């Protein structure tokens, strides 16, 4: 499975942006039964978990984004989206999507098997 993250860009604080994660490759349809997560990395900081959506649509969010970000999935088109509202400068990071066939990884990056290449989000103040 290959994952392609897209949708990043430069936005002003308070505005919104939607990221998309699309699956491809010979077995890309398997992602419909995977949990998919979004992570982000800021230079000089560790990889931070943002949100996860299970195969059944159940969602989990980090406290830093809860109430502002919404993760959703489209199993017809094999995509997962991250709607980001009320963006803050501290949300500036490279955002990665990843899939977890086991469904158990949650916020643990080490439990995700497949990773997208990342998309840069920059929030100006």
């Amino acid at each position: 499975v290959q994952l392609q993250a897209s949708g990043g860009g430069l936005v002003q604080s308070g505005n919104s942006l939607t990221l998309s994660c699309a699956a491809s490759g010979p077995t890309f349809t398997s992602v419909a039964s995977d949990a998919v997560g979004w992570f982000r990395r800021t230079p000089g900081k560790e990889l931070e978990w943002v949100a996860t959506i299970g195969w059944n649509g159940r969602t989990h969010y980090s406290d830093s984004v809860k109430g502002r970000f919404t993760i959703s999935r489209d199993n017809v088109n094999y995509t997962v989206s991250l709607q980001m509202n009320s963006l803050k400068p501290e949300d500036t990071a490279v955002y990665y999507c990843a899939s977890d066939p086991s469904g158990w990884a949650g916020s643990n990056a080490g439990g995700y098997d497949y990773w997208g290449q990342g998309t840069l989000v920059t929030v100006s103040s």
Side-chain angles (χ1 to χ4, degrees):
V1 174
Q2 286 87 48
L3 300 176
Q4 178 78 33
S6 62
L10 172 63
V11 295
Q12 289 189 328
S13 180
N15 284 358
S16 301
L17 201 62
T18 300
L19 305 183
S20 182
C21 178
S24 62
T27 59
F28 77 100
T29 56
S30 65
V31 78
S33 59
D34 294 353
V36 176
W38 284 95
F39 292 80
R40 64 188 182 187
R41 188 191 299 274
T42 302
K45 293 187 179 181
E46 293 185 354
L47 191 66
E48 178 189 7
W49 170 71
V50 175
T52 296
I53 186 166
W55 65 270
N56 57 2
R58 187 170 182 178
T59 59
H60 303 273
Y61 299 93
S62 69
D63 288 343
S64 62
V65 307
K66 195 174 295 182
R68 299 188 298 122
F69 289 13
T70 302
I71 188 172
S72 61
R73 67 188 304 155
D74 177 355
N75 282 344
V76 173
N77 295 303
Y78 304 99
T79 59
V80 172
S81 297
L82 185 68
Q83 171 71 39
M84 306 185 294
N85 298 328
S86 303
L87 282 162
K88 305 175 182 179
E90 50 263 44
D91 293 318
T92 295
V94 177
Y95 284 72
Y96 301 89
C97 60
S99 68
D100 163 31
S102 77
W104 291 100
S107 61
N108 177 18
Y112 288 78
D113 291 351
Y114 306 102
W115 290 79
Q117 85 292 356
T119 185
L120 175 63
V121 173
T122 304
V123 184
S124 63
S125 57

